[in-house]
């Protein structure tokens, strides 16, 4: 028989001082079970019954263990040696470190596998398996990550349940016929590599205690205290049994209604059978903490309705609620977006109106994959601080830089390498402008040079990055921590992140990464940075460093129902509570049917146990709140076809039908923020049913805010933010005469099309022009070699056919042939009416020309340079368009003027004579080629105009200049000079 006694706070001292023997502290939510253990430990030390190092305190997370250690330390006066407060796994590791050589014959302590590392090892071993040895429906999955994850979980569960391969085989599950032999191979590989997983760690610790170490351990720790005992597994209960076998000075605290980790092996039977198991000749005590310090009556009563009125096994009985008030609400929405928006609005309202800190509120969900992304966006729109769902250290931009370096050095996919290098160039390490990066990328595509060569040629400090790419041993062969150190020390660009303001979080993230990689290398030095990157690509991989990489500020908690256990808040939103998701009553879809370890799907008792655990999960979530609980769900609507509110939501609200629920509170009529005021005024303005004076007043307030700092009209939703006009150009720059023509015509069109590449892709006309220039270059080059003034039509047509067959692609054979016919027409007109007078000598074809003005290099390529019978030189520029400029426009063309100046400045050309003419030829300008001449008398002004273009481009002046060409402008839709684009800008 056991002694059970319900105690309130006034009776705690007597219970705490009864330190010896097996004791179960059963406690409802907020009744102080952890505080009871803290006071028990403090009393043991103060009374002299035990030294601090003779008390073992066990919990289930490092955070909880640290909290226990600190709270006990704060309650002990004077100096003390520290208490052994740790997780079960940490204690097991220390136990094996001290005794495994003697008890188990281990020569050294194996390294501990993380979860992802265990999955990777199982995945590797499965690929070595013979599919014939496995059931036919599993053999096809041997190489998949899915089976590796499930089998890793099964291995963990079998260790926790103290099951071996023989026991698994005896269960007769067809899907498991090959698993016993696989377990043997798995254990052999672990032993050969000197490694151990978390499940095997606990199993070996229990075996170590069984081998005679238990008495020695109990002598070291005569008192053992365990928090959250309802979460213990079979093997953990076995460890406690062995640790306290003779004295039974074991105190455990548990809330059976918070037993929510059955899927991880937690056995609620450990609580139910505590008296029988740990009695051992000593009369066990069962203390029931009867008064909650946190949960008020309305919340407690509602939570009890969810757990069938408190009829679940192992409960703590009636718990007296906290004395303060509380409330529970439940609301149903017709769309997930409406649910997310309402929650975000209510969080903002409570923070501003009721002064509830963001850190005192939480939104809990059954699964992060459904509502949280939408809710995160709604919170971002209101600037409410929160951790985005599934945010990980591995996804931080600073860490992505390191992983991009690894990809650039080791990936075999050229496209992946290209993307990684381009991100690095645009990122904070190099901080290239978009135009600089695009110019380097064009060179990469045009010349097909490898990245190391290109980086050395184009970047003043590109050699270090090039060296890392060329020698990837740091990423693929060395330990991850060593590889990261080499990157850090060899790449000088990291100095920018270290020293410049604005990168504080980047520095914190890199420090956290360094710590995580060091821990990884200590566990397994074989893991490289490339391996780390592969693990980071896995969805379930999470690096949780001891050093935080986020700026500390109070924020709203977004997390799952399970992860909220042990936390407390003023207000808790239980969102996305839809039937089928919560409770999760779906039949398992696992390949190897892990649930059969403890129950069968067709077993009513198994289904009941699963539903009861979901009830306890709802109860646990609700009792995190001190003052308010809000349930919400999305019923069938536009974006939800079959959803209906959870039975738990209905039970919490005390109704039996959805129709009995009240509607969500109407939006407050008084806007609380500038954004809400904007929204209210905009709704009023666009509401046709609103009174005219109200709409006029709304328009006046929107266009002329009563206070200048309320809002900026340019920031209204729906108005695109005007970006900066600077940061496009970086020195040194190289300009061309065609760029000068484009800038003079319209600077805004120039920067958008030429510098930012926004013309929407290559046009067929531009491709046609390039191909025709290629044809003419090859035909005329052959003529020049033969000493002819120009090629013959037959030669040109032959070159046309050759170029079109190898290089032309206009989307379809029909279009390609049509453009070839157009090219044949152009060549026929050109060569049948060839303009050069007799005696003309061809000097150069596609001649590259340079001219430097005010330290800016101008570069162009002349299609053709001839020596006329008069001895002077003439420059020819072929044009494939059908619309020649006017004679006046051509007479002062910057492009033709540049050619004359550059030819005069070119030593090779100057040796043949003085330039005296420049022309544009338009073969398709009419029945005969249209010729437009540059007026040499205007040559003196060319330099001044080019200098003015230089000045405007360097100063990044991009005004719009409307002209007759605007009708053909590809960026007219974003031009503020035209109605089509003006809507994106405000004066």
């Amino acid at each position: 028989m056991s002694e059970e006694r319900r105690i309130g706070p006034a009776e705690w001292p007597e219970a705490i001082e009864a330190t010896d023997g097996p004791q179960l502290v059963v406690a409802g939510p907020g009744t102080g079970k952890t505080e009871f253990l803290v006071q028990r430990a403090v009393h043991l030390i103060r009374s002299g019954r035990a030294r601090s190092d003779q008390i073992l305190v066990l919990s289930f997370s490092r955070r909880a263990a640290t909290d226990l250690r600190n709270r006990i330390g704060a309650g002990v006066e004077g100096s003390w040696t520290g208490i052994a407060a740790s997780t079960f796994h940490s204690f097991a590791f220390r136990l094996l470190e001290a005794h495994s050589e003697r008890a188990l014959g281990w020569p050294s302590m194996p390294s501990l596998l993380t979860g992802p590392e265990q999955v990777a090892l199982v995945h590797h071993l499965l690929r070595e398996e013979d599919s014939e040895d496995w059931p036919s429906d599993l053999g096809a999955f041997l190489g998949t990550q899915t089976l590796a994850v499930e089998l890793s979980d099964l291995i963990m569960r079998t260790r926790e349940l103290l099951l071996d391969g023989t026991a698994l085989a005896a269960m007769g599950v067809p899907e498991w016929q090959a698993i016993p032999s696989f377990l043997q191979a798995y254990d052999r590989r672990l032993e050969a590599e000197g490694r151990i997983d978390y499940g095997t760690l606990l199993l070996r610790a229990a075996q170590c205690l069984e081998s005679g170490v238990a008495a020695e351990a109990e002598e070291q720790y005569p008192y053992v205290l365990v928090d959250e005992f309802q979460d213990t597994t079979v093997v953990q209960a076995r460890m406690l049994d062995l640790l306290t076998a003779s004295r039974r000075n074991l105190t455990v605290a548990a809330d059976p209604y918070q037993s929510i980790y059955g899927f991880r092996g937690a056995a609620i039977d450990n609580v139910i059978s505590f008296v029988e198991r740990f009695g051992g000749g000593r009369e066990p005590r069962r203390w029931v903490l009867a008064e909650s310090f946190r949960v008020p009556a309305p919340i407690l009563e509602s939570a009890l309705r969810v757990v069938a009125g408190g009829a679940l096994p192992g409960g703590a009985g009636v718990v007296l609620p906290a004395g303060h008030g509380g409330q529970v609400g439940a609301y149903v929405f017709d769309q997930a977006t409406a649910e997310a928006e309402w929650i975000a609005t209510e969080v903002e309202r409570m923070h501003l109106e009721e002064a509830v800190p963001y850190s005192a509120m939480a939104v809990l969900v059954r699964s992060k994959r459904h509502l949280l992304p939408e809710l995160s966006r709604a919170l971002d729109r209101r600037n409410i601080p929160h951790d985005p769902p599934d945010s990980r250290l591995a996804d931080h931009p600073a860490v992505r830089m390191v992983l991009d370096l690894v990809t650039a050095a080791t990936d075999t996919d050229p496209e992946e390498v290209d993307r990684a290098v381009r991100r690095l160039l645009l990122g904070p390490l190099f901080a290239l402008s978009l135009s600089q990066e695009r110019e380097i990328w064009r060179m990469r595509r045009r010349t097909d040079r490898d990245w190391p060569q290109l980086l050395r040629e184009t970047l003043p400090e590109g050699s270090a990055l090039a060296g890392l790419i060329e020698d990837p041993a740091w990423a693929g062969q060395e330990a991850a921590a060593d590889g990261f150190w080499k990157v850090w020390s060899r790449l000088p660009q990291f100095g920018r992140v270290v020293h410049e303001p604005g990168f504080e979080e980047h520095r914190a993230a890199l420090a956290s990464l360094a710590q995580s990689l060091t821990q990884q290398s200590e566990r397994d030095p074989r893991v490289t940075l490339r391996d780390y990157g592969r693990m980071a690509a896995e969805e379930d991989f999470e690096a949780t460093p001891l050093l935080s990489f986020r700026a500390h500020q109070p924020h709203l908690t977004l997390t799952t129902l399970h992860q909220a256990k042990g936390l407390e808040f003023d207000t808790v939103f239980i969102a996305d509570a839809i039937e089928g998701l919560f409770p999760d009553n779906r039949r398992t879809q696992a390949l190897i049917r892990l649930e059969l370890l403890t129950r069968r799907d067709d077993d009513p008792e198994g289904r009941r146990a699963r539903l009861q655990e979901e009830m306890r999960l709802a109860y646990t979530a609700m009792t995190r709140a001190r003052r308010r609980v809000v349930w919400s769900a999305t019923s069938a609507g536009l974006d939800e076809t079959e959803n209906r509110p959870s039975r738990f939501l209905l039970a919490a609200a005390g109704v039996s039908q959805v129709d009995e629920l009240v509607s969500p509170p109407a939006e407050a009529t008084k806007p609380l923020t500038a954004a809400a005021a904007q929204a209210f005024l905009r709704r009023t303005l666009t509401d046709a049913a609103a009174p005219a004076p109200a709409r006029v007043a709304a328009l006046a307030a929107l266009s002329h805010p009563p206070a200048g700092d309320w809002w900026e009209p340019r920031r209204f939703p729906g108005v695109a933010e005007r970006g900066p006009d600077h940061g496009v150009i970086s020195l040194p720059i190289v300009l061309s005469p065609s760029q000068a023509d484009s800038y003079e015509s319209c600077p805004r069109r120039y920067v958008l099309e030429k510098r930012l590449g926004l013309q929407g892709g290559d046009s067929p006309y531009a491709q046609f022009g390039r191909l025709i220039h290629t044809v003419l270059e090859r035909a005329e080059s052959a003529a020049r070699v033969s000493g002819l003034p120009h090629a013959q039509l037959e030669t040109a047509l032959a070159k046309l056919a050759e170029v079109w067959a190898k290089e032309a692609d206009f989307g379809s054979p029909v279009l390609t042939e049509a453009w070839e016919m157009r090219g044949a027409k152009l060549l026929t007109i050109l060569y049948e009416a060839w303009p050069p007078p007799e005696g003309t000598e061809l000097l150069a074809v596609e001649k590259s020309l340079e001219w430097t003005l005010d330290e800016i290099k101008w570069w162009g390529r002349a299609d053709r340079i001839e020596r006329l019978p008069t001895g002077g030189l003439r420059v020819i520029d072929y044009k494939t368009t059908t619309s020649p400029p006017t004679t006046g426009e051509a007479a002062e063309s910057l492009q033709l003027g540049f050619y004359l100046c550059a030819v005069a400045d070119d030593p090779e050309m100057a040796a043949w004579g003085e330039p005296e003419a420049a022309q544009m030829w338009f073969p398709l300008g009419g029945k005969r080629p249209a010729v437009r001449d540059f007026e040499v008398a205007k040559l003196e002004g060319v330099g001044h105009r080019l200098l003015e273009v230089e000045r405007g481009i360097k100063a990044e002046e991009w005004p719009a200049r409307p002209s007759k060409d605007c009708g053909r402008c590809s960026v007219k839709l974003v031009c503020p000079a035209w109605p089509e684009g003006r809507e994106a800008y405000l004066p």
Side-chain angles (χ1 to χ4, degrees):
M1 293 293 293
S2 66
E3 175 189 348
E4 176 171 309
R5 182 176 171 188
R6 298 179 61 81
I7 58 174
E11 302 163 289
W12 274 34
E14 178 186 353
I16 287 169
E17 292 172 8
T19 57
D20 291 358
Q23 302 181 43
L24 171 62
V25 181
V26 181
T31 54
K33 62 182 185 297
T34 302
E35 179 62 21
F36 187 95
L37 293 181
V38 169
Q39 293 192 28
R40 168 66 57 83
V42 170
H43 172 73
L44 285 169
I45 298 171
R46 283 180 172 179
S47 65
R49 297 186 66 85
R51 299 190 311 272
S52 59
D53 60 350
Q54 291 180 310
I55 303 171
L56 176 63
V57 182
L58 297 172
S59 189
F60 283 83
S61 70
R62 285 184 297 177
R63 181 186 66 188
T66 300
D67 179 62
L68 281 164
R69 187 183 304 112
N70 292 339
R71 289 166 65 178
I72 294 170
V76 178
E77 297 177 354
S79 61
W80 63 306
T81 58
I83 199 164
S86 70
T87 64
F88 273 90
H89 291 93
S90 179
F91 170 72
F93 193 88
R94 295 201 314 270
L95 183 75
L96 290 172
E97 258 188 331
H99 303 288
S100 60
E101 182 177 3
R102 170 167 54 89
L104 302 178
W106 290 358
S108 62
M109 187 64 191
S111 61
L112 190 58
L113 286 171
T114 64
E117 290 171 335
Q118 182 190 18
V119 172
L121 176 60
V122 171
H123 195 188
H124 175 75
L125 292 175
L126 283 174
R127 289 198 296 266
E128 298 177 353
E129 289 284 296
D130 186 348
S131 60
E132 296 296 324
D133 296 335
W134 288 74
S136 58
D137 54 346
L138 291 182
F141 291 92
L142 289 181
T144 66
Q145 186 77 4
T146 300
L147 184 59
V149 170
E150 291 189 15
L151 191 52
S152 298
D153 204 10
L154 179 70
I155 293 171
M156 182 77 73
R157 299 290 86 81
T158 58
R159 303 314 201 215
E160 290 172 339
L161 291 170
L162 298 175
L163 299 174
D164 56 15
T166 303
L168 283 181
M171 290 184 179
V173 179
E175 291 87 347
W176 298 353
Q177 68 182 43
I179 292 178
S181 62
F182 179 84
L183 287 178
Q184 294 177 357
Y186 173 79
D187 286 336
R188 287 195 298 269
R189 180 62 63 91
L190 286 182
E191 184 177 355
E193 296 184 357
R195 310 176 85 181
I196 193 171
D197 62 51
Y198 278 99
T200 308
L201 177 72
L202 296 179
L203 177 64
R204 298 292 182 255
Q207 292 172 347
C208 182
L209 290 169
E210 289 171 344
S211 68
V213 173
E216 187 176 340
E218 189 172 16
E219 187 66 29
Q220 181 179 359
Y221 300 115
Y223 288 93
V224 178
L225 311 179
V226 182
D227 199 10
E228 306 291 357
F229 183 67
Q230 75 278 352
D231 293 333
T232 52
T233 63
V234 172
V235 69
Q236 288 166 343
R238 175 61 177 159
M239 289 172 60
L240 293 174
D241 193 0
L242 294 166
L243 270 172
T244 61
S246 61
R247 291 187 177 91
R248 288 301 190 206
N249 290 335
L250 171 66
T251 302
V252 302
D255 182 356
Y257 278 12
Q258 293 189 52
S259 178
I260 59 175
Y261 291 114
F263 66 96
R264 290 185 181 173
I268 193 174
D269 285 345
N270 288 342
V271 177
I272 298 172
S273 64
F274 177 85
V275 171
E276 293 77 11
R277 179 165 194 168
F278 292 96
R282 303 289 298 272
E283 183 177 346
R285 289 189 177 93
R286 179 181 164 99
W287 306 105
V288 180
L289 306 186
E291 184 175 337
S292 178
F293 300 101
R294 179 175 69 234
V295 188
I299 295 177
L300 193 57
E301 292 168 3
S302 179
L304 286 173
R305 286 197 298 268
V306 173
V307 290
L312 299 186
V318 177
V319 175
L320 297 177
H324 58 266
Q327 58 178 307
V328 176
Y331 307 115
V332 177
F333 302 84
D334 60 356
Q335 295 185 56
T337 52
E339 182 180 358
E341 285 293 324
W342 183 84
I343 292 173
T345 301
E346 184 66 2
V347 167
E348 184 178 51
R349 185 198 66 77
M350 293 178 65
H351 179 67
L352 295 175
E353 276 195 344
E354 302 176 17
V356 179
Y358 287 128
S359 58
M361 293 182 276
V363 181
L364 311 181
V365 292
R366 186 65 173 83
S367 170
K368 289 185 177 182
R369 292 191 295 269
H370 293 83
L371 184 70
L372 283 197
E374 183 68 41
L375 176 59
S376 180
R377 289 188 288 270
L379 295 169
D380 282 336
R381 287 191 289 272
R382 293 163 176 81
N383 295 317
I384 295 175
H386 65 284
D387 286 340
D390 294 329
S391 59
R392 312 177 305 165
L393 172 63
D395 295 325
H396 192 279
V399 179
R400 297 310 308 176
M401 292 189 310
V402 177
L403 297 181
D404 279 337
L405 286 166
V406 173
T407 299
T410 63
D411 206 297
T412 57
D413 184 345
E415 293 185 1
E416 287 294 329
V417 172
D418 288 342
R419 282 192 285 267
V421 176
R422 295 180 71 185
R423 285 194 297 267
L424 287 169
L425 296 181
L426 290 170
L429 289 181
F430 291 88
L432 296 190
S433 67
L434 189 59
S435 62
Q436 286 178 303
E437 184 275 329
R438 287 189 173 179
E439 182 60 31
I440 294 174
W441 174 237
R442 291 189 190 101
M443 294 176 64
R444 162 85 169 147
R445 290 191 301 174
R446 189 167 57 242
T447 64
D448 202 30
R449 278 177 284 183
D450 61 25
W451 276 113
Q453 179 185 1
L454 196 59
L455 293 169
R456 288 191 173 95
E457 293 176 359
T458 58
L459 295 180
E461 296 182 347
S463 296
L465 177 57
L468 288 171
I469 295 175
E470 287 176 328
D471 182 13
W474 59 272
Q477 298 177 22
E478 299 182 16
D482 295 337
F484 177 63
W485 171 248
K486 287 191 175 179
V487 170
W488 181 263
S489 58
R490 290 182 183 179
L491 202 61
Q493 285 78 11
F494 273 112
R496 169 182 170 82
V497 177
V498 170
H499 299 296
E500 292 189 12
F503 291 103
E504 290 80 8
E505 190 170 295
H506 279 63
R507 291 193 282 272
L510 290 170
S512 295
L513 174 65
Q515 182 199 56
S516 296
L517 294 178
T518 299
Q519 292 174 335
Q520 177 67 65
S521 296
E522 289 173 353
R523 289 196 304 268
D524 187 359
R526 293 169 299 182
V527 174
T528 65
L529 272 177
R530 179 170 55 188
D531 298 329
Y532 179 89
R534 288 171 178 168
M535 290 190 295
E538 298 295 337
E539 184 179 352
D540 62 347
F541 177 80
E542 169 65 356
T544 308
L546 296 176
L547 296 176
S548 174
F549 62 94
R550 297 187 182 93
H552 177 72
Q553 63 171 330
H555 63 277
L556 175 73
T557 297
L558 302 185
T559 190
T560 65
L561 298 164
H562 285 96
Q563 291 172 338
K565 186 174 181 293
L567 305 178
E568 60 180 64
F569 307 91
D570 281 346
T571 298
V572 168
F573 295 84
I574 302 176
D576 199 26
I578 58 176
E579 192 70 17
L581 178 64
F582 190 37
D584 184 359
N585 53 16
R586 298 165 294 180
R587 286 181 176 270
T588 181
Q589 297 180 1
L591 294 172
I592 57 176
R593 307 190 67 191
L594 180 64
E595 75 283 355
L596 297 182
L597 281 171
T598 55
R599 58 176 171 75
R600 294 186 177 273
D601 264 353
D602 56 358
D603 177 10
E605 189 60 37
R607 291 197 298 270
R608 186 181 302 111
R610 183 167 59 188
L611 179 59
Q612 288 176 348
E613 181 160 307
E614 292 287 296
M615 288 180 177
R616 293 194 295 268
L617 180 59
Y619 178 91
T620 300
M622 293 185 68
T623 55
R624 299 306 90 206
R626 287 184 288 263
R627 298 191 178 275
R628 186 184 181 197
V629 174
V630 182
W631 285 78
S632 67
T634 298
S635 188
L638 294 177
D639 58 353
E640 307 290 342
T641 57
E642 298 180 354
N643 288 350
R644 67 181 188 276
S646 166
R647 68 188 77 175
F648 295 161
L649 181 149
L650 300 178
V655 302
S656 57
Q657 301 292 332
V658 176
D659 296 342
E660 300 177 55
L661 293 171
V662 298
S663 300
E667 184 176 351
T669 57
K670 179 180 68 175
L672 298 174
T673 65
Q678 284 183 37
F680 172 76
L681 292 171
R682 287 160 68 86
R683 282 196 303 273
T684 303
L685 177 63
T686 56
D687 184 3
R695 298 178 69 188
V696 172
L699 177 61
L702 285 169
S703 56
H704 299 89
D709 58 351
W710 275 25
W711 61 71
E712 167 58 54
R714 294 183 180 88
R715 305 282 185 185
F716 283 172
V719 176
E721 182 178 356
R722 189 169 186 170
D725 283 350
H726 58 275
V728 178
I729 301 300
S730 298
L731 297 177
I733 57 174
V734 176
L735 299 177
S736 68
S738 62
Q739 290 186 48
D741 275 337
S742 178
Y743 183 85
E744 272 202 333
S745 174
C746 179
R748 181 162 290 272
R749 181 177 182 180
Y750 161 76
V751 70
L752 293 177
E753 288 188 345
K754 305 299 184 183
R755 286 291 175 178
L756 297 180
L758 301 183
Q759 64 267 39
D762 203 3
S763 72
Y765 294 96
Q767 184 183 177
F768 175 73
R770 286 197 300 272
L771 292 172
I772 290 298
H773 274 74
T774 300
V775 170
L776 290 171
E777 177 186 4
R778 294 177 183 178
E780 293 303 303
S781 294
R784 179 173 174 272
V785 171
S786 301
L788 300 174
H790 63 81
Q792 299 301 309
L793 175 60
E794 292 76 11
T795 302
L797 291 176
K799 296 295 183 183
L800 175 73
E802 177 184 308
V803 169
W804 242 255
K806 295 181 179 180
E807 302 178 31
D809 182 7
F810 288 84
S812 72
V814 174
L815 289 175
T816 301
E817 183 179 358
W819 283 99
E820 184 177 9
M821 292 174 62
R822 183 185 180 95
K825 177 183 177 183
L826 181 151
L827 295 174
T828 300
I829 294 174
L830 176 63
Y831 281 96
E832 287 184 350
W834 191 266
E838 187 174 347
T840 298
E841 182 181 358
L842 176 58
L843 298 180
V845 175
E846 292 294 322
K847 172 64 176 175
S848 179
L849 298 169
E850 293 184 6
W851 193 32
T852 300
L853 283 175
D854 193 24
E855 299 184 351
I856 298 295
K857 184 170 75 173
W858 289 80
W859 178 90
R861 190 182 294 276
D863 294 338
R864 179 185 183 89
I865 302 178
E866 302 174 334
R867 187 167 183 268
L868 300 172
T870 60
L873 305 185
R874 177 171 64 179
V875 182
I876 307 297
D877 191 33
Y878 307 123
K879 300 294 184 182
T880 57
T881 179
T882 59
S883 303
T886 65
T887 302
E889 290 170 339
E892 54 185 18
S893 165
L894 274 181
Q895 189 171 23
L896 293 179
F898 164 80
Y899 287 148
L900 289 176
C901 294
V903 167
D905 198 50
D906 185 272
E908 179 186 356
M909 292 295 102
W912 290 95
E914 293 289 333
E916 64 178 45
Q919 295 178 335
M920 298 179 189
W921 290 359
F922 294 84
L924 296 179
K927 293 183 178 180
R928 294 180 56 81
V931 178
R932 297 290 185 267
D933 291 280
F934 180 80
E935 189 175 330
V936 179
K938 296 184 177 181
L939 191 60
E940 183 177 350
V942 168
H944 297 295
R945 289 168 63 194
L946 291 179
L947 286 173
E948 186 63 20
V949 169
E950 283 185 13
R951 187 202 65 77
I953 292 177
K954 286 196 295 184
E956 299 193 277
E957 297 174 354
W958 318 118
R961 293 178 185 166
S963 69
K964 62 181 178 62
D965 296 325
C966 288
R968 298 188 298 274
C969 178
S970 65
V971 294
K972 188 176 180 180
L973 289 177
V974 290
C975 178
W978 287 89
E980 296 92 325
R982 195 174 298 141
E983 65 182 18
Y985 304 95
L986 289 174

